[in-house]
């Protein structure tokens, strides 16, 4: 037998590279997973409740019942992701043991640890984590995240926070790329970012992992906007299965992500979609309800 | 300089473009059927084959892609791209483009936790090539005119049938451009033949 290495950075980051230009959809059962796959999703995120329902229900949000995740894994051939609480080593290890393809260490669930994230480099399964800026993004990469996403403000159907996070991150990445070597250590100190991650960003001229948009994508136009701003792909949480016509919405968001600069096409696919999910104005959220501020 | 298209509906497009350019050819993004005009060869990248298939159908690209293949243009599929090229698929009634005489099984090495890398010898192309396998398919059977270029642990992971080249892994995820260079050479030879005839 030849040498055969699993769980390497290249294998874990590469998996996310294959998802580029695609849409990853939140689903809560096999039926929704099949709708997502048929619409052209590149992966599904199996969970017990979509973010807007988590918001409405209140209380503690945890990893989904393994039965739900298994049901979804058995229903589709595309990759299946699942969420674990921030810092919840055991939930993450359980998801890994089940064979999910990617774990989202997610602020959408109630954090299990308000200080420490998982050391994701110790796992064979790859992880995606949220970020609002380069400090957070670089710390998550330093811990071993193989994929990033904006935090946005999940379950609001309001794109404003995801736009803020992506613009800020990209501006900070551009700055790092053009910095002199002797300025990088101080920048690392200011950002609270691991120095070696900033070095890697400067060397590559970009982030070393893909960064998807997430948190507030409600329409095909929202997905296109995030791609226009430089996202590598799109997560849609409540936006699809909280809309009037999920299958149609799902197909339209997939098309909008591929052809985000074909504005005539965007017009056509946005016609007669029915009501998108009902949105929430961010300023009306109380500080305690802002998921993006959980564990930085 | 030859023009090599990359099917750019979804997946590892950027990496293939980088590799094509590193090999001294011109890379062209193919998002629509009309983008096939003026390209000399086509790479079908890694990504999700079900997603790419849906978009191929949606934009009426299936027939133009088959015509492109039938005209003798070289085509190279990596991972999902191999699935798109294959004549038959294990556990599926229908293939996608169905132009390359191989049978392919999807996700045949397991789920993402089973994804791996290994250094492989690819006959006539490269020794010690760093191959990255991600939820990879493998070739279960090849046709009479198809040459097996590489096996890993008893499974066929790369093959060539004249103008068609397919592999289970992702050369585009490495900085090693030898396989892309091999394909660029195929395209260049095809163009020379075309000029002669």
């Amino acid at each position: 037998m030849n040498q055969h290495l699993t769980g390497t950075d290249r294998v874990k980051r590469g998996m996310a590279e294959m998802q580029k230009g695609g849409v990853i959809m939140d689903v809560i059962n096999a039926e929704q997973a099949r709708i997502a796959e048929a619409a052209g999703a590149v992966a599904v995120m199996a969970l017990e409740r979509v973010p807007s329902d988590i918001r409405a229900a209140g209380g503690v949000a945890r990893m989904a019942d393994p039965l739900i995740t298994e049901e979804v894994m058995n229903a589709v051939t595309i990759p299946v992701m699942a969420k674990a609480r921030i810092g919840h080593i055991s939930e993450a290890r359980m998801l890994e043991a089940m064979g999910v393809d990617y774990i989202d260490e997610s602020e959408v669930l109630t954090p299990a640890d308000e200080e420490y994230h998982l050391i994701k480099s110790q796992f064979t399964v790859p992880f995606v984590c949220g970020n609002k800026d380069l400090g957070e993004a670089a710390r998550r990469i330093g811990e071993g995240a193989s994929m990033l996403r904006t935090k946005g403000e999940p379950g609001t159907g309001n794109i404003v926070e995801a736009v803020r996070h992506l613009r800020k991150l990209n501006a900070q990445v551009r700055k790092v790329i053009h910095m002199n070597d002797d300025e990088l250590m101080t920048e690392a100190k200011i950002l609270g970012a691991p120095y070696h991650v900033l070095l890697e960003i400067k060397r590559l001229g970009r982030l070393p992992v893909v960064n998807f948009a997430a948190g507030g994508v409600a329409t095909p136009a929202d997905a296109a906007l995030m791609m226009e701003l430089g996202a590598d792909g799109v997560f849609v949480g409540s936006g699809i299965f909280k809309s009037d016509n999920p299958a149609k919405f799902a197909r339209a968001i997939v098309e909008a992500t591929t052809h985000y600069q074909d504005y005539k096409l965007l017009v056509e696919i946005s016609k007669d979609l029915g009501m998108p999910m009902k949105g929430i104005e961010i300023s009306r959220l109380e500080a305690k309800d802002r998921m993006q501020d959980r564990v930085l | 300089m030859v023009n090599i298209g990359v099917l750019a509906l979804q997946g590892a497009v950027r990496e293939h473009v980088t590799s094509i350019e590193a090999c001294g050819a011109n890379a062209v993004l193919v998002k629509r059927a009309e983008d096939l005009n003026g390209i000399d060869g086509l790479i079908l990248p890694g990504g999700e084959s079900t997603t790419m298939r849906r978009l191929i159908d949606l934009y009426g690209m299936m027939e133009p892609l088959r015509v492109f293949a039938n005209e003798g243009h070289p085509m190279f599929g990596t991972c999902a791209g191999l699935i798109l090229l294959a004549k038959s698929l294990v556990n599926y009634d229908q293939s996608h483009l169905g132009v390359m005489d191989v049978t392919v099984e999807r996700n045949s090495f397991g789920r993402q936790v089973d994804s791996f890398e290994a250094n492989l010898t690819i006959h006539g192309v490269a020794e010690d090539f760093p191959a990255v396998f991600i939820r990879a398919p493998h070739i279960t059977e090849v046709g009479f005119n198809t040459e097996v270029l590489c096996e890993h642990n008893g499974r066929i992971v790369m093959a060539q049938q004249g103008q068609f080249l397919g592999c289970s892994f992702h050369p585009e995820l490495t900085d090693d451009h030898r396989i892309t260079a091999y394909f660029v050479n195929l395209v260049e030879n095809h163009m020379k033949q075309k000029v002669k005839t």
Side-chain angles (χ1 to χ4, degrees), chain A residues 15 19 26 30 33 35-36 40 58-59 61 67 81 84 91 106 108 120 127 165 169 172 179 182 200 205 252 274 287:
Chain A
M15 160 74 202
Q19 304 265 297
D26 277 4
I35 291 171
L67 267 182
M81 302 186 173
E91 282 187 354
S106 179
V108 170
K120 294 163 277 285
F127 281 82
H165 300 163
L169 175 71
Q172 291 173 316
M179 273 183 153
D182 50 12
E200 196 180 5

Side-chain angles (χ1 to χ4, degrees), chain A residues 187-267:
Chain A
E187 186 69 5
K189 182 184 74 177
I190 294 166
L191 292 172
Y195 177 62
H196 74 274
V197 175
L198 297 194
L199 279 178
E200 196 180 5
I201 291 168
K202 182 168 161 55
R203 181 174 57 81
L204 293 171
R206 59 174 168 80
L207 287 169
V209 302
V210 301
N211 186 33
F212 273 45
V217 176
T219 64
D222 288 346
L225 170 64
M226 296 310 289
M227 294 300 288
E228 187 90 47
L229 292 176
D232 290 308
V234 177
F235 280 89
V236 188
S238 321
I240 289 171
F241 291 98
K242 286 289 163 188
S243 70
D244 269 1
N245 189 340
K248 203 170 171 187
F249 243 86
R251 288 195 298 268
I253 289 182
V254 168
E255 274 196 77
T257 303
T258 299
H259 289 292
Y260 62 93
Q261 286 180 319
D262 186 337
Y263 307 113
K264 282 183 179 161
L265 177 79
L266 292 179
V267 170

Side-chain angles (χ1 to χ4, degrees), chain B residues 4-193:
Chain B
I4 298 190
V6 181
L7 187 66
L9 297 172
Q10 187 271 316
V13 176
R14 176 179 73 203
E15 290 83 350
H16 275 297
V17 168
T18 305
S19 193
I20 290 167
E21 288 171 350
C23 293
N26 185 38
V28 180
L29 297 184
V30 175
K31 282 194 163 198
R32 303 270 194 186
E34 53 266 33
D35 299 332
L36 290 168
N37 299 330
I39 63 168
D40 310 314
L42 179 67
I43 291 181
L44 303 113
E48 287 305 320
S49 60
T50 51
T51 306
M52 290 189 217
R53 171 60 196 268
R54 197 188 155 277
L55 293 168
I56 284 171
D57 288 345
L58 196 58
Y59 303 118
M61 295 176 79
M62 187 53 93
E63 227 10 70
L65 282 167
R66 285 189 179 134
V67 168
F68 185 80
N70 290 335
E71 287 168 349
H73 290 105
M75 294 169 87
F76 175 27
T78 63
C79 193
L82 168 67
I83 295 169
L84 293 177
L85 287 178
K87 192 156 272 178
S88 51
L89 300 173
V90 175
N91 295 329
Y92 290 83
D93 296 337
Q94 287 182 328
S95 59
H96 301 296
L97 291 175
V99 292
M100 183 177 177
D101 198 2
V102 291
T103 302
V104 170
E105 182 174 351
R106 290 184 64 201
N107 301 337
S108 62
F109 291 89
R111 302 196 71 97
Q112 172 59 20
V113 287
D114 306 304
S115 293
F116 64 96
E117 49 183 292
N119 286 342
L120 306 178
T121 297
I122 297 152
H123 299 300
V125 182
E127 297 273 321
D128 209 27
F129 189 89
V132 185
F133 292 79
I134 294 173
R135 288 170 44 92
H138 88 283
I139 299 171
T140 59
E141 261 176 84
V142 297
F144 184 66
N145 289 319
T146 306
E147 187 189 353
V148 174
L149 298 186
C150 183
E151 289 187 39
H152 177 62
N153 296 339
R155 289 172 170 196
I156 303 168
V157 295
M158 185 162 179
Q160 180 177 357
Q161 179 203 354
Q163 74 195 88
F164 301 116
L165 190 64
C167 64
S168 302
F169 51 92
H170 295 281
E172 72 272 21
L173 285 181
T174 70
D175 296 326
D176 191 323
H177 303 301
R178 286 177 291 174
I179 292 179
T180 308
Y182 180 78
F183 180 68
V184 170
N185 192 254
L186 259 182
V187 177
E188 285 167 352
N189 287 338
H190 167 73
M191 294 310 287
K192 281 179 204 153
Q193 290 293 323

Side-chain angles (χ1 to χ4, degrees), chain A residues 34 41 72 85 120-121 147-148 227 235 263:
Chain A
R34 283 191 208 100
V72 170
R85 281 179 268 177
K120 294 163 277 285
S121 52
M147 178 181 192
L148 295 171
M227 294 300 288
F235 280 89
Y263 307 113

Side-chain angles (χ1 to χ4, degrees), chain A residues 109-122:
Chain A
L109 304 182
T110 311
D113 192 321
E114 294 190 331
E115 213 166 339
Y116 305 115
H117 277 74
L118 297 166
I119 288 299
K120 294 163 277 285
S121 52
Q122 293 174 346

Side-chain angles (χ1 to χ4, degrees), chain A residues 110-176:
Chain A
T110 311
D113 192 321
E114 294 190 331
E115 213 166 339
Y116 305 115
H117 277 74
L118 297 166
I119 288 299
K120 294 163 277 285
S121 52
Q122 293 174 346
F123 289 70
T124 304
V125 67
F127 281 82
V128 54
C129 286
N131 76 88
K132 295 191 296 184
D133 54 39
L134 183 54
E136 274 190 73
R139 288 194 293 279
R140 299 297 87 79
I141 294 169
E143 292 153 359
S146 312
M147 178 181 192
L148 295 171
R149 56 171 174 75
T150 59
K151 283 183 159 177
E153 191 54 49
T156 60
N158 189 336
I159 199 67
V160 66
E161 295 301 304
V163 167
R164 190 193 320 279
H165 300 163
L166 189 57
R167 277 201 184 272
K168 182 162 185 197
L169 175 71
N170 286 345
Q172 291 173 316
V173 166
R174 279 196 299 274
K175 184 178 171 201
V176 163

